[in-house]
Amino acid sequence: MKKIKNTEEWFKLDNASKIYPSSGTARWNAVYRVCAVMKERVDREVLQQALDVVIERFPSYNVILRRGFFWYFLQGATLKPVVTREKDYPCRKFDIMNREPLFRVMYSGNRIMAEFSHCLSDGNASTNFLNTLILKYLHLLGKKVDRGPLLHYHDAPKEEEFEDSYSRYYDPKGSKSLPENYSAYHLQGAKELKGVVNVTHGEVATDKLLELSHSAGVTLNEYIIGILAYCLYNKRKYDAVNKNSKRPISVQYSVDLRHYFPSSTLRMFSGFVNTLLKETSAKDMTFEEILQAMATESRERSKKENFQNFINSNFSLERNWIIRAVPLSIKNIIMKIAYYNQADRVSSLIVTNMGKMNVPKEFAEYIDRYELIIGPQKYNNSTMTISSFNNKTVFTFVKTIKNSYLEREFFRFLQEKGLEIFVSGNNGGRKND
Amino acid sequence: MIDKCPRCNVKVDSNLSNCPLCGSYIEREEQTDIVKDGINYGYPKVGKSLVVREIAFRVVLYACLISIGISFLVNFLAANEIFWAYHVLFGWGIFWCTIGRSLFFHLDMRKQIFWYSVFASVICYYIQTMIYGTFEVTEAQNWALVWATPAFLLGGIAVLFVYMLIEYKDWVRLTMPLTAMCLVTAIPAIISSAMYKQVHFMIYICLAVGVITLLMLMILGREKYFLELKKKFFL
């Protein structure tokens, strides 16, 4: 097993992660949270013991980000991670300048949560970490839980878990994807103070939701995207006429590339699909029309060759000698523009679907639900995530504006379809006194 | 007991006093338990430090922008040209690069030492230029170049060295600020030799201390030092 303490190990950031530290600012960097709501209160001491063991299994996570002359790089942290009690808004930025490790494990009441920087990993891989941590935690509590499909904490880390899978699947002779050249409609509203994050969770029954989507002849993902596009379409209709209200609606969702390109990396290996709502007629579109338009667009764009082109175009940039030789300070400016153009500008909303959790069946006895929180984006005001476990699907809306239009309309829509909804959240951090 | 929002008709977590969707106040008939099925979905109450810091940052930023704007305006209206307003602009610039950075962005100690030394030197040049109206003064009057700059840089190197001794386990972290400090010391040496065809002995001392310190680090811990360089400059 690899020893973490006093390590001098260092490695390059993977291809897709390179943009995150560069596009970050002194107050923002891409952070997300995976969280499990346990049925019993969390014991901090036991969780710390579990983390001490599990971090040895995931040595690529206990790292700090450092700045080189040409690129950022990751270096093993000298200190072991400590479990802390949650006392801040979710997805607080990592203090990269003072060498804070790029992940943190926290607890609060019934929640066990791990926050990661996107420089390290993606949702799928970090969920593996969280589940292994919970597995060890439950074992320490004396619960009998089978490991099932999880990575076991006693296994040695494998070399392929450290690989940059983008480089493995890069085809230098393959075609490349073209950059998007439009600006999408964005939700507007009174902004919260910087650092304040509003989180709203809505819990619905998965089976009923699946019934709804199947009766509409689309997948669950397409159905959700359809509802979101419909809500945004209605909002835009009543917005004051300005430049923003004339822009098209686009919902971007992330895709785990491991489904298309086999890989067992625990680092970042995800892509995204921009589903642009094609408004064919001048008349108001109905929900069914929007749903079909979004589903068709989504299917067209989520083909394997599109992701191959995405990998090719991204990796060819990294291999370009001119780009490599440019000092980091100048690269940062270029990356900031690229991030704005390719991520926030072209999407009205960013959606991440964690899908159904692949965990041992015994977990259902101890875990109530999973939550995923994508931190606020740099320019986009809202993000939404979906996680399903034990017949509970949790939709999480994260926003940095005070306006709750999107989640309100989204849940009202589902409620009109007969679904029962349970909402919770941080209420902007303003808890009843 | 979980109450429903009267407007949205959704069940609302009993930790919340208002519906997160519409903001309606949830009237609870009785003191409800904060858990549903024994599970607490609530979030912890967030401390005010973040908000206070954000407000402080904004106040300082707005004060900076307003004072710069007003000084340029008053200067222009009073004299029909702009001259002293540049000093206000420069003063704020220096503030953000030194105190502002460490106050709001929590810079690492070694980085703070480096930046304080560099900007203290810059201020000396600036004040001297203001006093004499030009940078081209005789060597005897050129106190910024001859005394102040080397003194600040030498002081910076000394403080970094002390810091290194105190936290010697992590000394490799100081190699890059020391390398940078050594390079920065070379700048007044170049200016001095270009303008006066000689380098003052204080700058020689400063440069020598920097180079000796660097050489010591390179010899005593060459493996770590060159690994650090390799990491920094990988393509």
Side-chain angles (χ1 to χ4, degrees):
Chain A
M1 213 175 275
K2 293 195 177 188
K3 201 179 175 187
I4 303 293
K5 216 172 177 194
N6 294 326
T7 183
E8 276 300 332
E9 278 177 29
W10 66 284
F11 43 94
K12 298 175 187 180
L13 288 162
D14 56 63
N15 176 264
S17 303
K18 282 198 162 75
I19 200 159
Y20 291 111
S22 296
S23 56
T25 63
R27 289 150 169 269
W28 176 87
N29 49 26
V31 183
Y32 65 94
R33 170 188 286 191
V34 284
C35 168
V37 181
M38 310 297 286
K39 289 186 177 173
E40 287 172 11
R41 285 185 76 83
V42 178
D43 185 330
R44 188 203 167 278
E45 293 302 319
V46 179
L47 187 61
Q48 180 65 59
Q49 287 170 30
L51 179 62
D52 289 345
V53 174
V54 170
I55 195 60
E56 302 281 346
R57 175 66 186 82
F58 296 86
S60 60
Y61 287 168
N62 191 25
V63 291
I64 55 171
L65 184 75
R66 293 203 50 206
R67 195 189 160 100
F69 190 76
F70 298 106
W71 297 104
Y72 286 96
F73 61 92
L74 299 167
Q75 181 183 298
T78 49
L79 299 171
K80 289 210 167 189
V82 178
V83 174
T84 52
R85 191 182 173 84
E86 188 193 21
K87 54 183 179 187
D88 222 323
Y89 288 101
C91 304
R92 177 174 56 84
K93 78 176 272 289
F94 288 101
D95 193 356
I96 289 167
M97 283 202 246
N98 285 330
R99 302 188 172 199
E100 185 186 358
L102 297 180
F103 95 110
R104 57 174 86 98
V105 175
M106 295 186 291
Y107 77 103
S108 165
N110 290 47
R111 283 191 173 89
I112 294 178
M113 47 208 141
E115 289 187 345
F116 290 83
S117 164
H118 254 310
C119 304
L120 274 194
S121 185
D122 55 20
N124 182 295
S126 44
T127 311
N128 280 335
F129 170 82
L130 181 72
N131 285 328
T132 307
L133 181 69
I134 293 170
L135 181 72
K136 179 65 186 168
Y137 174 75
L138 292 174
H139 283 175
L140 286 172
L141 287 176
K143 316 280 184 192
K144 285 189 178 170
V145 183
D146 192 43
R147 69 178 280 186
L150 302 182
L151 296 172
H152 200 275
Y153 46 87
H154 280 156
D155 295 345
K158 293 171 193 156
E159 200 56 45
E160 60 262 31
E161 290 170 1
F162 297 87
E163 78 162 6
D164 178 359
S165 295
Y166 294 100
S167 68
R168 177 157 45 124
Y169 289 104
Y170 168 60
D171 176 11
K173 288 172 189 164
S175 53
K176 298 177 180 69
S177 59
L178 296 169
E180 308 280 5
N181 58 353
Y182 61 87
S183 295
Y185 167 75
H186 285 118
L187 275 176
Q188 309 271 311
K191 291 210 167 189
E192 292 279 9
L193 282 173
K194 272 184 188 158
V196 176
V197 177
N198 291 330
V199 179
T200 309
H201 303 289
E203 183 188 300
V204 297
T206 309
D207 51 357
K208 288 182 181 169
L209 197 64
L210 280 169
E211 260 176 47
L212 266 181
S213 63
H214 291 163
S215 64
V218 293
T219 64
L220 179 63
N221 204 38
E222 289 162 356
Y223 192 72
I224 302 300
I225 288 166
I227 302 173
L228 290 167
Y230 179 64
C231 296
L232 289 167
Y233 182 81
N234 285 337
K235 175 82 174 88
R236 193 188 59 175
K237 215 160 51 180
Y238 299 111
D239 269 0
V241 178
N242 58 22
K243 219 175 175 180
N244 186 40
S245 66
K246 288 174 187 162
R247 287 174 176 158
I249 288 159
S250 162
V251 179
Q252 184 183 88
Y253 65 91
S254 51
V255 176
D256 183 7
L257 292 180
R258 293 170 188 86
H259 294 313
Y260 297 88
F261 306 95
S263 166
S264 45
T265 184
L266 289 174
R267 296 174 71 189
M268 179 101 164
F269 192 42
S270 60
F272 56 83
V273 172
N274 269 320
T275 44
L276 183 70
L277 176 62
K278 285 176 182 158
E279 294 165 58
T280 45
S281 63
K283 281 195 301 178
D284 282 356
M285 289 176 87
T286 61
F287 169 67
E288 284 69 26
E289 286 171 340
I290 289 175
L291 180 63
Q292 286 312 317
M294 293 300 273
T296 312
E297 179 79 356
S298 168
R299 281 170 209 164
E300 270 176 27
R301 291 203 174 213
S302 55
K303 287 178 183 160
K304 189 179 175 181
E305 55 263 33
N306 290 347
F307 296 123
Q308 182 65 62
N309 297 346
F310 165 78
I311 293 172
N312 294 345
S313 57
N314 275 7
F315 206 80
S316 63
L317 282 174
E318 186 189 321
R319 279 170 57 98
N320 186 316
W321 264 100
I322 299 168
I323 292 175
R324 285 165 77 175
V326 169
L328 187 61
S329 316
I330 298 167
K331 267 196 199 101
N332 284 348
I333 300 166
I334 300 167
M335 295 270 209
K336 273 186 173 66
I337 298 166
Y339 181 81
Y340 174 69
N341 275 322
Q342 286 306 305
D344 278 5
R345 185 176 68 92
V346 295
S347 60
S348 308
L349 182 71
I350 293 170
V351 177
T352 303
N353 187 354
M354 258 205 321
K356 198 181 165 194
M357 282 288 161
N358 193 16
V359 291
K361 58 182 184 306
E362 293 92 340
F363 266 30
E365 289 173 39
Y366 308 105
I367 299 174
D368 179 60
R369 70 185 198 189
Y370 280 89
E371 294 165 355
L372 172 68
I373 299 178
I374 304 288
Q377 302 297 300
K378 200 169 171 187
Y379 306 102
N380 241 334
N381 295 320
S382 311
T383 59
M384 195 264 233
T385 60
I386 311 159
S387 53
S388 298
F389 173 69
N390 201 21
N391 199 33
K392 283 179 179 179
T393 296
V394 180
F395 298 103
T396 304
F397 287 86
V398 177
K399 60 187 185 350
T400 50
I401 51 174
K402 290 173 183 170
N403 186 337
S404 319
Y405 172 83
L406 188 65
E407 54 267 43
R408 187 171 65 237
E409 292 308 309
F410 179 81
F411 289 127
R412 273 184 190 167
F413 184 92
L414 289 179
Q415 205 184 37
E416 281 167 15
K417 297 282 179 187
L419 266 71
E420 198 164 73
I421 294 151
F422 167 61
V423 289
S424 55
N426 69 350
N427 207 15
R430 294 179 290 272
K431 202 180 159 191
N432 53 335
D433 293 312
Chain B
M1 183 182 158
I2 296 163
D3 296 273
K4 280 194 169 186
C5 169
R7 283 177 71 187
C8 306
N9 202 29
V10 293
K11 289 178 184 173
V12 179
D13 177 23
S14 44
N15 281 287
L16 304 175
S17 55
N18 297 67
C19 171
L21 306 182
C22 65
S24 300
Y25 180 69
I26 310 290
E27 204 168 326
R28 297 177 200 280
E29 289 177 357
E30 56 192 74
Q31 183 63 40
T32 55
D33 196 2
I34 58 159
V35 295
K36 171 208 166 199
D37 305 332
I39 299 162
N40 183 0
Y41 293 98
Y43 277 83
K45 201 171 180 179
V46 176
K48 288 181 180 171
S49 64
L50 181 94
V51 177
V52 169
R53 211 173 75 204
E54 179 59 30
I55 290 169
F57 174 78
R58 285 190 182 192
V59 167
V60 176
L61 183 67
Y62 293 148
C64 163
L65 295 175
I66 290 167
S67 62
I68 289 170
I70 289 173
S71 58
F72 270 87
L73 191 71
V74 170
N75 194 182
F76 184 76
L77 291 176
N80 210 19
E81 61 174 320
I82 294 162
F83 52 98
W84 58 263
Y86 287 122
H87 304 320
V88 178
L89 183 68
F90 188 81
W92 275 113
I94 290 290
F95 168 80
W96 283 112
C97 292
T98 55
I99 304 162
R101 278 168 74 100
S102 54
L103 265 181
F104 298 115
F105 304 140
H106 295 286
L107 274 186
D108 191 340
M109 182 70 171
R110 67 208 165 92
K111 284 182 185 164
Q112 281 192 33
I113 295 166
F114 171 72
W115 282 111
Y116 275 105
S117 314
V118 171
F119 280 97
S121 309
V122 174
I123 285 175
C124 291
Y125 282 118
Y126 192 77
I127 293 170
Q128 179 169 292
T129 315
M130 287 305 101
I131 293 169
Y132 296 108
T134 171
F135 189 74
E136 291 187 23
V137 290
T138 62
E139 195 192 347
Q141 293 169 318
N142 206 341
W143 55 267
L145 188 68
V146 174
W147 296 103
T149 304
F152 279 118
L153 292 173
L154 202 58
I157 292 172
V159 175
L160 270 175
F161 207 78
V162 170
Y163 184 69
M164 187 187 91
L165 289 171
I166 294 167
E167 296 196 10
Y168 74 101
K169 278 184 187 168
D170 207 12
W171 65 270
V172 81
R173 291 174 63 186
L174 301 170
T175 54
M176 287 304 132
L178 274 168
T179 310
M181 192 76 90
C182 198
L183 290 172
V184 168
T185 319
I187 295 169
I190 293 165
I191 294 171
S192 185
S193 65
M195 293 184 72
Y196 307 110
K197 309 291 180 225
Q198 62 167 344
V199 180
H200 195 270
F201 78 95
M202 271 297 285
I203 296 172
Y204 275 131
I205 293 171
C206 185
L207 204 55
V209 170
V211 169
I212 290 165
T213 316
L214 264 181
L215 283 173
M216 272 169 62
L217 291 172
M218 286 164 78
I219 294 162
L220 298 174
R222 59 187 172 278
E223 207 175 296
K224 283 189 174 180
Y225 186 83
F226 289 109
L227 177 68
E228 193 72 7
L229 277 184
K230 192 182 164 192
K231 286 184 215 170
K232 280 271 177 192
F233 289 95
F234 84 89
L235 256 172

